[in-house]
Amino acid sequence: MDNFNPQPRKVLMPIVLFVTTIVIALIMLVVALVVWVAELVQSGSIAALIVGGMFMFFSLIIYLITARKSIEYLQNRLETIYDVAYAARRGYRTTVMLLKSIFRI
């Protein structure tokens, strides 16, 4: 059991190939959808607009349902981090000014 020590390349390569295959499959699916819609409407450019509009609509729905809450959460966390950093900087500057005034006397 101690002999099992996979190299990072041996672990990463199958994942990269898997993701690449998924991306290629999705591109082929979208192209097939555009070709099918182009046959229905007798225009490739209109078909591309229809399919693009459909994906834009799906993106908007996904954003409104899930991503917006996550983005708002991250934004609130960043505001908290900013406030803490501002308070730390202000405290540091106050401490430095106080030490400067004490040691000048």
Side-chain angles (χ1 to χ4, degrees), residues 53-66:
M54 180 185 70
F55 277 104
M56 188 168 48
F57 176 73
F58 289 150
S59 300
L60 179 65
I61 296 299
I62 290 170
Y63 169 75
L64 291 175
I65 292 174
T66 60

Side-chain angles (χ1 to χ4, degrees), residues 1-5:
M1 294 266 178
D2 289 328
N3 295 338
F4 184 71
N5 188 8

Side-chain angles (χ1 to χ4, degrees), residues 3-21:
N3 295 338
F4 184 71
N5 188 8
Q7 300 290 332
R9 187 181 332 157
K10 290 182 181 179
V11 173
L12 186 63
M13 187 56 81
I15 294 172
V16 169
L17 289 175
F18 179 70
V19 169
T20 303
T21 305

Side-chain angles (χ1 to χ4, degrees), residues 28-72:
M28 291 175 65
L29 180 67
V30 170
V31 169
L33 182 63
V34 169
V35 169
W36 178 67
V37 173
E39 288 180 6
L40 292 177
V41 297
Q42 301 296 321
S43 174
S45 58
I46 292 175
L49 289 173
I50 291 171
V51 172
M54 180 185 70
F55 277 104
M56 188 168 48
F57 176 73
F58 289 150
S59 300
L60 179 65
I61 296 299
I62 290 170
Y63 169 75
L64 291 175
I65 292 174
T66 60
R68 185 176 69 183
K69 292 177 185 175
S70 299
I71 291 172
E72 288 175 356

